[in-house]
Amino acid sequence: MISHSSSPPGTTVDLSLTEAERDKILAHAAKFDPPGVTTADGRRDLVGMSREELAVEMAAIGEAPFRVKQLWHWIYHQGVIDFARMSTIARPLQEKLAERFIIGRPEAARVQTSEDATRKFLFRFRDGQEAETVYIPDLDEDRGAVCISSQVGCTLSCRFCHTGTQTLVRNLAAPEIVGQFMAARDSYGEWPSPKGETPRLLSTIVLMGMGEPLYNYANVAKAMKIVMDNEGIGLSRRRITLSTSGVVPMMDRCGSELGLCLAVSLHAVRDDLRDELIPLNRKYPIAELLAACRRYPGASNARRITFEYVMLKGVNDSEADARELVRLIAGMPAKVNLIPFNPWPGTKFARSSRLAIDRFSRIVNDAGYASPVRRPRGQDILAACGQLRTDGMRTRAGAA
Ligand code: SF4
């Protein structure tokens, strides 16, 4: 039990996070399970299967275990989607594989490229559901981040978030999560996977798109293990950031099992305001969230925890807020990303003024924490997360 000054005076916070609590979250997530990996014609998608699952599939068709390594190389290193291109596999086996399996990709229902080269994809999955993926190139160097969705819609209803206005339809499956990254790489022709420190155009993953990744932990974890596998895509854990609104019990598991970099959507420094902006705060208030950050495995000055803070005019952008933020994260290896709010139709929030953002940033910076202000990107395309999907649904409804 700890007490914390962001809780009402005299209260304590129970940190005895039990396995049972995690099991409850995982069981709830299972209710939104994605459909299986079998296609309409009965073939199975090999993308998103673990090595163990691939081994079971190969054994079932009488193939030796070494086929797993071969397939892994072709699927995740070479990026092929056609068995006929697997030159180390004899033609009869290529044909046998093609009869039973596919190497799937989500269909790009819409692709928009911004004047600043940000590219937004609306990917459609086999059951017709859609989710967004965004590639944000670095403007100075040949590298960039791919922002990936973990759910179709979201349960959390964060007030400033456009995706939060969409109800949760279902979780994305591991093939759909890995598939977003692979399809984005197809779009830039970045195959075979660059090895080691060779520069990559699609160099980092941020699990920051639609959905709360820790409410779909099993599929996200499976997908990220595939992405990190050295014989395939080989993206190191230092290059993958998972962003959570604060599903405290799963943060521990994510840190110890996957070791990904952590970003936390903080957005408010008082529980009363955070309760309103991020209703999940009522369950896991600021003190519990920050305690989970402090014990997050692997956090260090080289791997700082990122606090995301959306700048909402007159709501959370005062100098007092900035000073309280500094107090809350004192002693933590952390940085603070300030995000000028991206307004979307129907929102009641407005973007903080440049002056307010600069003042906030200076206070955080002077306290020794990097506090970059995120440059708005993709302003000429539907920039707020979730907007492209809503727009697509509206267009289809209009056409019906
Ligand atoms: S900010 Fe993230 S967790 Fe909150 S509603 Fe939007 S998508 Fe969901």
Side-chain angles (χ1 to χ4, degrees):
M1 308 273 273
I2 63 159
S3 63
H4 195 289
S5 48
S6 75
S7 300
T11 61
T12 53
V13 178
D14 188 355
L15 286 181
S16 54
L17 300 167
T18 62
E19 205 52 39
E21 200 171 349
R22 277 192 272 272
D23 288 348
K24 217 163 97 189
I25 292 172
L26 291 168
H28 184 72
K31 290 187 194 151
F32 295 93
D33 261 356
V37 294
T38 307
T39 61
D41 63 9
R43 291 183 295 169
R44 291 169 67 74
D45 193 350
L46 293 183
V47 173
M49 286 189 190
S50 64
R51 283 175 181 266
E52 294 71 28
E53 287 168 333
L54 271 180
V56 170
E57 296 291 342
M58 290 305 103
I61 60 167
E63 290 300 325
F66 78 90
R67 296 292 181 198
V68 172
K69 196 176 167 73
Q70 273 183 328
L71 282 170
W72 198 271
H73 174 83
W74 285 110
I75 297 171
Y76 296 114
H77 180 66
Q78 299 289 352
V80 306
I81 52 172
D82 182 356
F83 292 103
R85 287 193 50 211
M86 298 183 172
S87 56
T88 53
I89 294 179
R91 177 69 61 83
L93 178 54
Q94 289 177 0
E95 287 167 2
K96 184 172 160 186
L97 290 169
E99 278 165 22
R100 291 165 173 80
F101 304 108
I102 62 160
I103 302 165
R105 292 285 194 273
E107 173 201 347
R110 281 176 84 179
V111 181
Q112 293 182 327
T113 306
S114 157
E115 284 165 3
D116 68 13
T118 298
R119 187 171 294 178
K120 196 157 190 176
F121 305 85
L122 181 67
F123 284 126
R124 186 172 298 152
F125 305 105
R126 273 200 290 280
D127 63 352
Q129 293 298 339
E130 295 171 336
E132 295 181 8
T133 306
V134 189
Y135 174 61
I136 308 146
D138 191 303
L139 294 176
D140 305 316
E141 291 181 53
D142 282 347
R143 61 181 185 194
V146 186
C147 178
I148 285 180
S149 293
S150 55
Q151 298 181 306
V152 179
C154 189
T155 34
L156 289 185
S157 308
C158 301
R159 300 286 179 255
F160 52 85
C161 169
H162 188 268
T163 299
T165 64
Q166 308 172 6
T167 50
L168 176 65
V169 178
R170 67 168 175 83
N171 286 326
L172 290 176
E176 295 167 333
I177 297 169
V178 181
Q180 291 173 63
F181 184 68
M182 296 175 84
R185 277 183 59 179
D186 290 347
S187 155
Y188 290 88
E190 193 168 66
W191 298 106
S193 296
K195 282 278 181 202
E197 292 307 306
T198 313
R200 297 169 180 242
L201 220 47
L202 283 70
S203 57
T204 52
I205 287 180
V206 287
L207 285 154
M208 217 175 262
M210 300 170 67
E212 164 55 62
L214 293 185
Y215 272 164
N216 184 20
Y217 182 75
N219 287 303
V220 166
K222 189 175 175 192
M224 290 307 108
K225 284 177 187 167
I226 291 171
V227 166
M228 291 190 284
D229 188 300
N230 262 334
E231 290 180 14
I233 294 170
L235 209 59
S236 96
R237 65 191 55 197
R238 288 178 294 113
R239 299 189 183 279
I240 305 175
T241 300
L242 181 143
S243 173
T244 180
S245 292
V247 185
V248 167
M250 299 309 296
M251 287 165 64
D252 298 283
R253 162 112 17 128
C254 171
S256 57
E257 194 174 296
L258 302 175
L260 305 180
C261 301
L262 183 72
V264 171
S265 297
L266 189 62
H267 308 313
V269 291
R270 300 187 324 268
D271 279 324
D272 59 338
L273 178 60
R274 199 165 187 273
D275 282 352
E276 195 194 314
L277 294 179
I278 304 175
L280 183 68
N281 194 68
R282 293 177 202 148
K283 199 161 188 183
Y284 306 114
I286 292 173
E288 282 196 39
L289 175 59
L290 293 179
C293 292
R294 285 183 196 280
R295 62 175 184 266
Y296 189 74
S300 65
N301 278 333
R303 295 186 64 208
R304 289 171 293 173
I305 290 174
T306 304
F307 289 97
E308 308 280 348
Y309 198 94
V310 65
M311 298 297 292
L312 305 170
K313 187 176 190 171
V315 175
N316 64 354
D317 60 352
S318 71
E319 292 184 32
D321 287 321
R323 280 192 290 272
E324 177 62 4
L325 173 58
V326 165
R327 195 187 68 77
L328 287 176
I329 63 174
M332 221 186 282
K335 73 170 189 173
V336 180
N337 272 356
L338 299 177
I339 308 163
F341 176 62
N342 230 341
W344 37 269
T347 181
K348 63 173 187 176
F349 297 111
R351 179 181 297 179
S352 302
S353 68
R354 188 69 226 186
L355 187 69
I357 296 175
D358 286 346
R359 223 168 22 211
F360 198 103
S361 172
R362 204 170 323 115
I363 292 170
V364 178
N365 211 58
D366 287 351
Y369 296 96
S371 57
V373 178
R374 191 182 290 171
R375 264 188 275 187
R377 302 289 301 271
Q379 290 293 287
D380 52 323
I381 54 179
L382 296 166
C385 174
Q387 253 186 301
L388 197 58
R389 176 170 177 260
T390 309
D391 190 63
M393 287 161 68
R394 206 178 286 131
T395 308
R396 281 198 300 283

PDB file of all heavy atoms in Angstrom, residues 264-281:
ATOM      1  N   VAL A 264       2.835   6.453 -21.910  1.00  0.00           N
ATOM      2  CA  VAL A 264       1.615   6.526 -21.100  1.00  0.00           C
ATOM      3  C   VAL A 264       0.855   7.787 -21.474  1.00  0.00           C
ATOM      4  O   VAL A 264       1.422   8.884 -21.507  1.00  0.00           O
ATOM      5  CB  VAL A 264       1.986   6.548 -19.599  1.00  0.00           C
ATOM      6  CG1 VAL A 264       0.763   6.844 -18.741  1.00  0.00           C
ATOM      7  CG2 VAL A 264       2.608   5.222 -19.191  1.00  0.00           C
ATOM      8  N   SER A 265      -0.428   7.599 -21.802  1.00  0.00           N
ATOM      9  CA  SER A 265      -1.272   8.762 -22.106  1.00  0.00           C
ATOM     10  C   SER A 265      -1.675   9.384 -20.783  1.00  0.00           C
ATOM     11  O   SER A 265      -2.623   8.930 -20.155  1.00  0.00           O
ATOM     12  CB  SER A 265      -2.534   8.313 -22.845  1.00  0.00           C
ATOM     13  OG  SER A 265      -2.190   7.743 -24.069  1.00  0.00           O
ATOM     14  N   LEU A 266      -0.976  10.398 -20.382  1.00  0.00           N
ATOM     15  CA  LEU A 266      -1.249  10.990 -19.068  1.00  0.00           C
ATOM     16  C   LEU A 266      -2.324  12.081 -19.188  1.00  0.00           C
ATOM     17  O   LEU A 266      -3.390  11.986 -18.599  1.00  0.00           O
ATOM     18  CB  LEU A 266       0.046  11.549 -18.469  1.00  0.00           C
ATOM     19  CG  LEU A 266      -0.062  11.997 -17.016  1.00  0.00           C
ATOM     20  CD1 LEU A 266      -0.417  10.849 -16.097  1.00  0.00           C
ATOM     21  CD2 LEU A 266       1.238  12.659 -16.554  1.00  0.00           C
ATOM     22  N   HIS A 267      -2.022  13.115 -19.884  1.00  0.00           N
ATOM     23  CA  HIS A 267      -2.979  14.162 -20.278  1.00  0.00           C
ATOM     24  C   HIS A 267      -3.592  14.993 -19.155  1.00  0.00           C
ATOM     25  O   HIS A 267      -4.287  15.977 -19.439  1.00  0.00           O
ATOM     26  CB  HIS A 267      -4.113  13.594 -21.136  1.00  0.00           C
ATOM     27  CG  HIS A 267      -3.639  12.788 -22.303  1.00  0.00           C
ATOM     28  ND1 HIS A 267      -2.641  13.214 -23.152  1.00  0.00           N
ATOM     29  CD2 HIS A 267      -4.018  11.567 -22.765  1.00  0.00           C
ATOM     30  CE1 HIS A 267      -2.427  12.291 -24.072  1.00  0.00           C
ATOM     31  NE2 HIS A 267      -3.239  11.288 -23.861  1.00  0.00           N
ATOM     32  N   ALA A 268      -3.389  14.596 -17.918  1.00  0.00           N
ATOM     33  CA  ALA A 268      -3.898  15.415 -16.806  1.00  0.00           C
ATOM     34  C   ALA A 268      -3.089  15.064 -15.571  1.00  0.00           C
ATOM     35  O   ALA A 268      -2.597  13.935 -15.448  1.00  0.00           O
ATOM     36  CB  ALA A 268      -5.379  15.146 -16.557  1.00  0.00           C
ATOM     37  N   VAL A 269      -2.962  16.015 -14.659  1.00  0.00           N
ATOM     38  CA  VAL A 269      -2.141  15.776 -13.473  1.00  0.00           C
ATOM     39  C   VAL A 269      -2.983  15.699 -12.194  1.00  0.00           C
ATOM     40  O   VAL A 269      -2.443  15.540 -11.110  1.00  0.00           O
ATOM     41  CB  VAL A 269      -1.055  16.874 -13.339  1.00  0.00           C
ATOM     42  CG1 VAL A 269      -0.020  16.730 -14.447  1.00  0.00           C
ATOM     43  CG2 VAL A 269      -1.667  18.280 -13.346  1.00  0.00           C
ATOM     44  N   ARG A 270      -4.287  15.861 -12.340  1.00  0.00           N
ATOM     45  CA  ARG A 270      -5.178  15.718 -11.175  1.00  0.00           C
ATOM     46  C   ARG A 270      -6.198  14.632 -11.501  1.00  0.00           C
ATOM     47  O   ARG A 270      -6.693  14.553 -12.629  1.00  0.00           O
ATOM     48  CB  ARG A 270      -5.935  17.016 -10.894  1.00  0.00           C
ATOM     49  CG  ARG A 270      -5.085  18.225 -10.595  1.00  0.00           C
ATOM     50  CD  ARG A 270      -5.994  19.389 -10.169  1.00  0.00           C
ATOM     51  NE  ARG A 270      -7.266  19.419 -10.869  1.00  0.00           N
ATOM     52  CZ  ARG A 270      -7.484  20.107 -12.003  1.00  0.00           C
ATOM     53  NH1 ARG A 270      -6.514  20.802 -12.579  1.00  0.00           N
ATOM     54  NH2 ARG A 270      -8.681  20.092 -12.560  1.00  0.00           N
ATOM     55  N   ASP A 271      -6.544  13.841 -10.477  1.00  0.00           N
ATOM     56  CA  ASP A 271      -7.484  12.753 -10.731  1.00  0.00           C
ATOM     57  C   ASP A 271      -8.848  13.250 -11.185  1.00  0.00           C
ATOM     58  O   ASP A 271      -9.479  12.622 -12.025  1.00  0.00           O
ATOM     59  CB  ASP A 271      -7.622  11.869  -9.484  1.00  0.00           C
ATOM     60  CG  ASP A 271      -6.483  10.858  -9.373  1.00  0.00           C
ATOM     61  OD1 ASP A 271      -6.032  10.356 -10.424  1.00  0.00           O
ATOM     62  OD2 ASP A 271      -6.033  10.577  -8.264  1.00  0.00           O
ATOM     63  N   ASP A 272      -9.309  14.387 -10.636  1.00  0.00           N
ATOM     64  CA  ASP A 272     -10.653  14.824 -11.044  1.00  0.00           C
ATOM     65  C   ASP A 272     -10.707  15.112 -12.543  1.00  0.00           C
ATOM     66  O   ASP A 272     -11.643  14.713 -13.238  1.00  0.00           O
ATOM     67  CB  ASP A 272     -11.127  16.034 -10.215  1.00  0.00           C
ATOM     68  CG  ASP A 272     -10.198  17.235 -10.352  1.00  0.00           C
ATOM     69  OD1 ASP A 272      -9.021  17.042 -10.723  1.00  0.00           O
ATOM     70  OD2 ASP A 272     -10.648  18.373 -10.103  1.00  0.00           O
ATOM     71  N   LEU A 273      -9.657  15.750 -13.056  1.00  0.00           N
ATOM     72  CA  LEU A 273      -9.638  16.051 -14.494  1.00  0.00           C
ATOM     73  C   LEU A 273      -9.365  14.781 -15.317  1.00  0.00           C
ATOM     74  O   LEU A 273     -10.008  14.534 -16.335  1.00  0.00           O
ATOM     75  CB  LEU A 273      -8.575  17.119 -14.807  1.00  0.00           C
ATOM     76  CG  LEU A 273      -8.441  17.483 -16.283  1.00  0.00           C
ATOM     77  CD1 LEU A 273      -9.753  18.031 -16.849  1.00  0.00           C
ATOM     78  CD2 LEU A 273      -7.313  18.501 -16.505  1.00  0.00           C
ATOM     79  N   ARG A 274      -8.437  13.957 -14.839  1.00  0.00           N
ATOM     80  CA  ARG A 274      -8.116  12.743 -15.612  1.00  0.00           C
ATOM     81  C   ARG A 274      -9.306  11.780 -15.625  1.00  0.00           C
ATOM     82  O   ARG A 274      -9.554  11.102 -16.616  1.00  0.00           O
ATOM     83  CB  ARG A 274      -6.847  12.070 -15.074  1.00  0.00           C
ATOM     84  CG  ARG A 274      -6.219  11.104 -16.079  1.00  0.00           C
ATOM     85  CD  ARG A 274      -4.805  10.700 -15.750  1.00  0.00           C
ATOM     86  NE  ARG A 274      -4.235   9.904 -16.842  1.00  0.00           N
ATOM     87  CZ  ARG A 274      -4.366   8.593 -16.961  1.00  0.00           C
ATOM     88  NH1 ARG A 274      -5.001   7.910 -16.028  1.00  0.00           N
ATOM     89  NH2 ARG A 274      -3.847   7.947 -18.006  1.00  0.00           N
ATOM     90  N   ASP A 275     -10.061  11.755 -14.513  1.00  0.00           N
ATOM     91  CA  ASP A 275     -11.288  10.934 -14.491  1.00  0.00           C
ATOM     92  C   ASP A 275     -12.209  11.335 -15.638  1.00  0.00           C
ATOM     93  O   ASP A 275     -12.877  10.495 -16.241  1.00  0.00           O
ATOM     94  CB  ASP A 275     -12.074  11.171 -13.192  1.00  0.00           C
ATOM     95  CG  ASP A 275     -11.473  10.424 -12.014  1.00  0.00           C
ATOM     96  OD1 ASP A 275     -10.554   9.612 -12.233  1.00  0.00           O
ATOM     97  OD2 ASP A 275     -11.926  10.670 -10.883  1.00  0.00           O
ATOM     98  N   GLU A 276     -12.222  12.620 -15.909  1.00  0.00           N
ATOM     99  CA  GLU A 276     -13.126  13.121 -16.935  1.00  0.00           C
ATOM    100  C   GLU A 276     -12.560  12.868 -18.340  1.00  0.00           C
ATOM    101  O   GLU A 276     -13.269  12.421 -19.241  1.00  0.00           O
ATOM    102  CB  GLU A 276     -13.315  14.625 -16.720  1.00  0.00           C
ATOM    103  CG  GLU A 276     -14.491  15.209 -17.476  1.00  0.00           C
ATOM    104  CD  GLU A 276     -14.421  16.728 -17.502  1.00  0.00           C
ATOM    105  OE1 GLU A 276     -14.168  17.313 -16.429  1.00  0.00           O
ATOM    106  OE2 GLU A 276     -14.580  17.296 -18.579  1.00  0.00           O
ATOM    107  N   LEU A 277     -11.266  13.120 -18.506  1.00  0.00           N
ATOM    108  CA  LEU A 277     -10.662  12.980 -19.845  1.00  0.00           C
ATOM    109  C   LEU A 277     -10.470  11.513 -20.232  1.00  0.00           C
ATOM    110  O   LEU A 277     -10.653  11.136 -21.389  1.00  0.00           O
ATOM    111  CB  LEU A 277      -9.305  13.686 -19.896  1.00  0.00           C
ATOM    112  CG  LEU A 277      -9.294  15.209 -19.751  1.00  0.00           C
ATOM    113  CD1 LEU A 277      -7.864  15.725 -19.798  1.00  0.00           C
ATOM    114  CD2 LEU A 277     -10.130  15.866 -20.852  1.00  0.00           C
ATOM    115  N   ILE A 278     -10.049  10.717 -19.253  1.00  0.00           N
ATOM    116  CA  ILE A 278      -9.769   9.293 -19.508  1.00  0.00           C
ATOM    117  C   ILE A 278     -10.515   8.505 -18.438  1.00  0.00           C
ATOM    118  O   ILE A 278     -10.000   8.267 -17.347  1.00  0.00           O
ATOM    119  CB  ILE A 278      -8.247   8.999 -19.411  1.00  0.00           C
ATOM    120  CG1 ILE A 278      -7.478   9.903 -20.369  1.00  0.00           C
ATOM    121  CG2 ILE A 278      -7.943   7.532 -19.673  1.00  0.00           C
ATOM    122  CD1 ILE A 278      -5.979   9.790 -20.274  1.00  0.00           C
ATOM    123  N   PRO A 279     -11.752   8.098 -18.706  1.00  0.00           N
ATOM    124  CA  PRO A 279     -12.560   7.460 -17.655  1.00  0.00           C
ATOM    125  C   PRO A 279     -11.872   6.257 -16.984  1.00  0.00           C
ATOM    126  O   PRO A 279     -12.173   5.935 -15.838  1.00  0.00           O
ATOM    127  CB  PRO A 279     -13.833   7.048 -18.403  1.00  0.00           C
ATOM    128  CG  PRO A 279     -13.926   8.022 -19.539  1.00  0.00           C
ATOM    129  CD  PRO A 279     -12.511   8.318 -19.945  1.00  0.00           C
ATOM    130  N   LEU A 280     -10.909   5.623 -17.668  1.00  0.00           N
ATOM    131  CA  LEU A 280     -10.194   4.499 -17.060  1.00  0.00           C
ATOM    132  C   LEU A 280      -9.477   4.919 -15.775  1.00  0.00           C
ATOM    133  O   LEU A 280      -9.172   4.092 -14.911  1.00  0.00           O
ATOM    134  CB  LEU A 280      -9.167   3.953 -18.071  1.00  0.00           C
ATOM    135  CG  LEU A 280      -8.363   2.727 -17.629  1.00  0.00           C
ATOM    136  CD1 LEU A 280      -9.254   1.493 -17.520  1.00  0.00           C
ATOM    137  CD2 LEU A 280      -7.215   2.446 -18.601  1.00  0.00           C
ATOM    138  N   ASN A 281      -9.236   6.227 -15.634  1.00  0.00           N
ATOM    139  CA  ASN A 281      -8.541   6.722 -14.449  1.00  0.00           C
ATOM    140  C   ASN A 281      -9.321   6.424 -13.171  1.00  0.00           C
ATOM    141  O   ASN A 281      -8.742   6.318 -12.096  1.00  0.00           O
ATOM    142  CB  ASN A 281      -8.312   8.229 -14.586  1.00  0.00           C
ATOM    143  CG  ASN A 281      -7.311   8.752 -13.570  1.00  0.00           C
ATOM    144  OD1 ASN A 281      -6.130   8.423 -13.642  1.00  0.00           O
ATOM    145  ND2 ASN A 281      -7.784   9.522 -12.605  1.00  0.00           N
TER     146      ASN A 281
END
